[in-house]
Amino acid sequence: MLDSLLFQISLIVFLGILSQWLAWRFNIPAIVIMSFAGLLVGPVLHLFDPSESFGAIFNPLISLAVAIILFEGSLSLDFREIRGFRKPIFRIATVGAFVAWILGSLAAHYLAGLSLPVAFVIGGLFIVTGPTVIIPLLRQAKLKERPASILKWEGIVVDPFGALLALFAFNVVLFLDGHSTGTALLAFFAASLFAVILGVGIGFGLGLILERGIIPEYLKSPTVFAFVLIAFAISDAVMHETGLLAVTAMGMIMANMHLSSIRDMRHFKENVSVLLISSVFVMLTASLSLDTLLSILDWHLLLFVLAMMFIVRPLSIFIATINTGIPVNEKILIGWIAPRGIVALTVSGFFATVLVDAGYEDGQLLTALTLALVFATVIVHGFSISWLADKLGLTATKEAGVLLVGGSPFTALLGKELQDLGKPVMIMDRNWQELRDARRVGVPSLAGDVLSEQTEYSVDLTPYEKMIVATPDDAYNALICSSFVPELGRENIYQTTMHMNNPHDYRKSLGGKLLFEATQDIHHLNELVEAGYVLRRTSVTEKYTYEQFMRAKDNTTIPLFVLRSDGALSFFVNGKVRNVEDGDSIISLVSPAIKEARIQERLEQEREKQTTPKD
């Protein structure tokens, strides 16, 4: 069975997605689990070797996957996102990359023992980070907007330039050693320029075609990916490694054309990217030999890795961000986080071969050197990014916040309770007047449409892991919920129940989970709040269980959510909530009569205590 290529492909995809799920379930960096999964089935257990099984198509498959991943990442590079910090990103991608190249090359020569020609080739390659490793880490760490954007932009923009810089250094080395003429250098610059023109031309032309409706909706995603692959293949055929530059230019042009079609395809592209990243990491690590793994334990290589992590990267970032307005804590985080990934692994294999063929025998060390740096940075940076961001005050939030869509007396009351519990909360509404109750009680509010493109680039929604949609428009509620399912997950999206007079039922195909009870739509909830209903907290203990609470409550009490003992929130859906345990608290909407009765009961208990004679 293991000899079956079909089974091996299926196993690779399965292991990749399983790694992603384990990373989500146990809050562990996904790239770490994917790397270990590949090592386990490859060099450790020797179940199969993808490079051997796939044969001649192994490298082309990896290259095409990297092209799609890089294109998908570059589609998120909208210049509106970095309106306030373009300068540091430009400086890091230029000055920072140049400093990292020089220092990294010197470290490879003096610490790893490589010859200067080989050192400058590999030093150029090691300026890359890339979306395959940065995006999963950013998703895990939940950084504040500016450091997250800087790391993302650097990873995507610098990725193709790392391969090009290594290619440039290789051509310069051959020229200086007399192995080639100046024509080869001119050909390099011409091929790079051609890649940019090709990417820009295809991106702009394809964008116009998509917007004019020349391509039917069901063919748009396949057409985009077909053009990505052909742009990469044409450019790479002209000169190896320039294809990455072409697809990056193509993606950035289309991202800044603000195409509605691209926005519609975003979730499909993200799903494809996750699948490819997972599979490629498993394939690459499973293809390694045990000898190659053992060779990275050489102390020269380990010393080089330490220098790259603790000297080269921080120094290049601090030099590049001088007079850019970036605070020290952000410089420290950005200067520490630089995991290398797929591009470094794939491109280093190409340069190891061509350098050895050109007579540089120490080029054979490139694979081991790259592996040492990739594994060290992926593991160390993967496990440290959240901790360091927290220590530096750069985490968006520790608590899982709640975004309430729809201003009303009820959402203001609920938002105030969540705020008092220490949860990040914000109320949004298209109408500024509808937010008057939120402003009155001091709950953060924002006038705007949560579905608008302007909100996407001007409002940081990172702190809010849960969304409650409670506008009077049932169809609008369902549309919002469906739009945010890919970002937040269906289990974190709620909406108030449909209005009793609404003839349409969106529950089977659209919308989020229906909150509270079937009869409690937003109109009724607002009426109750305006009638004086208040929130009451009930503690669940061994003596007073959740079952007792549910039996004892009357018809006027509406349980809203459970505050878990660990601080998590669980909202009642269709009148039910799961696994309420001792130490949890139930927050309910109760009538003022019940509140008054409880107060009167407590007063009588206090009076009895005072009048009871002491022994």
Side-chain angles (χ1 to χ4, degrees), residues 43-59:
V44 176
L45 299 179
H46 301 289
L47 297 182
F48 61 89
D49 182 349
S51 62
E52 183 178 308
S53 301
F54 286 83
I57 66 170
F58 178 77
N59 287 326

Side-chain angles (χ1 to χ4, degrees), residues 143-426:
L143 303 181
K144 289 185 176 179
E145 182 180 9
R146 183 165 58 189
S149 294
I150 290 175
L151 285 170
K152 182 185 76 173
W153 273 72
E154 180 205 8
I156 297 171
V157 172
V158 175
D159 222 32
F161 289 116
L164 287 176
L165 192 55
L167 189 60
F168 168 73
F170 175 68
N171 281 284
V172 170
V173 165
L174 294 182
F175 173 73
L176 293 177
D177 282 355
H179 294 168
S180 68
T181 64
T183 307
L185 281 176
L186 292 176
F188 164 78
F189 288 113
S192 300
L193 180 61
F194 171 77
V196 173
I197 295 174
L198 179 68
V200 170
I202 291 180
F204 186 75
L206 183 58
L208 292 179
I209 291 173
L210 292 175
E211 285 298 278
R212 292 176 181 177
I214 297 175
I215 300 174
E217 202 67 33
Y218 74 96
L219 277 180
K220 285 184 177 180
S221 292
T223 300
V224 169
F225 281 110
F227 273 98
V228 170
L229 297 181
I230 199 66
F232 175 81
I234 292 174
S235 184
D236 213 57
V238 172
M239 180 168 284
H240 200 53
E241 304 304 339
T242 59
L244 297 179
L245 184 60
V247 297
T248 302
M250 178 180 170
M252 290 184 68
I253 286 295
M254 296 183 72
N256 289 279
M257 291 177 71
H258 309 138
L259 307 172
S260 58
S261 300
I262 295 300
R263 295 178 61 207
D264 295 338
M265 292 185 290
R266 177 186 304 165
H267 306 311
F268 172 76
K269 295 186 281 80
E270 289 175 350
N271 292 336
V272 171
S273 183
V274 169
L275 186 65
L276 290 176
I277 290 173
S278 307
S279 303
V280 168
F281 253 104
V282 174
M283 289 174 65
L284 288 173
T285 52
S287 300
L288 300 173
S289 67
L290 195 57
D291 290 338
T292 303
L293 287 177
L294 294 176
S295 66
I296 69 176
L297 299 178
D298 183 278
W299 70 271
H300 293 92
L301 301 189
L302 296 179
L303 194 61
F304 165 77
V305 170
L306 292 175
M308 291 292 291
M309 294 172 62
F310 290 95
I311 299 176
V312 175
R313 172 66 178 183
L315 196 57
S316 64
I317 293 299
F318 271 82
I319 292 174
T321 54
I322 293 174
N323 295 327
T324 59
I326 300 296
V328 174
N329 60 338
E330 293 186 13
K331 290 182 180 181
I332 293 174
L333 180 68
I334 297 169
W336 172 244
I337 301 301
R340 276 65 170 188
I342 290 175
V343 171
L345 280 175
T346 54
V347 178
S348 66
F350 164 75
F351 282 110
T353 302
V354 296
L355 282 168
V356 171
D357 291 343
Y360 300 98
E361 294 299 327
D362 54 340
Q364 60 187 343
L365 295 175
L366 293 192
T367 301
L369 197 67
T370 306
L371 282 175
L373 186 61
V374 168
F375 285 153
T377 54
V378 162
I379 293 173
V380 175
H381 294 161
F383 280 108
S384 64
I385 184 171
S386 298
W387 176 84
L388 183 61
D390 183 35
K391 295 297 181 183
L392 295 174
L394 296 176
T395 305
T397 178
K398 291 183 181 179
E399 295 283 352
V402 180
L403 177 64
L404 297 161
V405 182
S408 67
F410 172 75
T411 56
L413 181 67
L414 179 60
K416 179 61 176 174
E417 179 70 13
L418 293 170
Q419 186 181 50
D420 292 342
L421 293 174
K423 307 296 181 183
V425 62
M426 183 169 67

Side-chain angles (χ1 to χ4, degrees), residues 139 263-271 274 479-493:
R139 190 182 296 122
R263 295 178 61 207
D264 295 338
M265 292 185 290
R266 177 186 304 165
H267 306 311
F268 172 76
K269 295 186 281 80
E270 289 175 350
N271 292 336
V274 169
L479 178 61
I480 294 174
C481 292
S482 297
S483 299
F484 278 88
V485 163
E487 283 83 5
L488 300 177
R490 193 170 295 278
E491 69 279 1
N492 293 319
I493 297 180

Side-chain angles (χ1 to χ4, degrees), residues 3 36 151 169 186 190 231 307 310 333 345 406 431 463 470 479 517 552 558 560 574 600:
D3 294 332
F36 280 112
L151 285 170
L186 292 176
F310 290 95
L333 180 68
L345 280 175
N431 188 338
L479 178 61
E517 298 177 357
I558 305 172
L560 302 182
N574 293 322
Q600 186 65 34

Side-chain angles (χ1 to χ4, degrees), residues 535-595:
L535 296 182
R536 190 184 74 192
R537 189 182 308 181
T538 305
S539 298
V540 176
T541 64
E542 291 184 6
K543 295 182 178 180
Y544 191 70
T545 64
Y546 168 69
E547 288 74 18
Q548 289 175 307
F549 166 82
M550 294 299 289
R551 287 195 300 268
K553 76 177 184 68
D554 58 24
N555 293 332
T556 63
T557 299
I558 305 172
L560 302 182
F561 66 91
V562 174
L563 176 65
R564 304 292 184 180
S565 56
D566 61 359
L569 300 175
S570 297
F571 288 90
F572 279 79
V573 175
N574 293 322
K576 300 177 182 178
V577 71
R578 294 181 179 179
N579 304 325
V580 182
E581 300 175 348
D582 295 345
D584 296 345
S585 298
I586 304 171
I587 287 76
S588 309
L589 187 66
V590 300
S591 71
I594 292 180
K595 181 180 179 181

Side-chain angles (χ1 to χ4, degrees), residues 78-91 145-147 149-150 153 323-327 330 454 457-458:
D78 192 314
F79 288 114
R80 292 175 297 182
E81 180 185 345
I82 56 170
R83 199 168 295 162
F85 41 92
R86 293 183 182 181
K87 183 178 179 180
I89 290 177
F90 176 77
R91 292 275 296 277
E145 182 180 9
R146 183 165 58 189
S149 294
I150 290 175
W153 273 72
N323 295 327
T324 59
I326 300 296
E330 293 186 13
Q454 182 63 29
Y457 293 105
S458 61

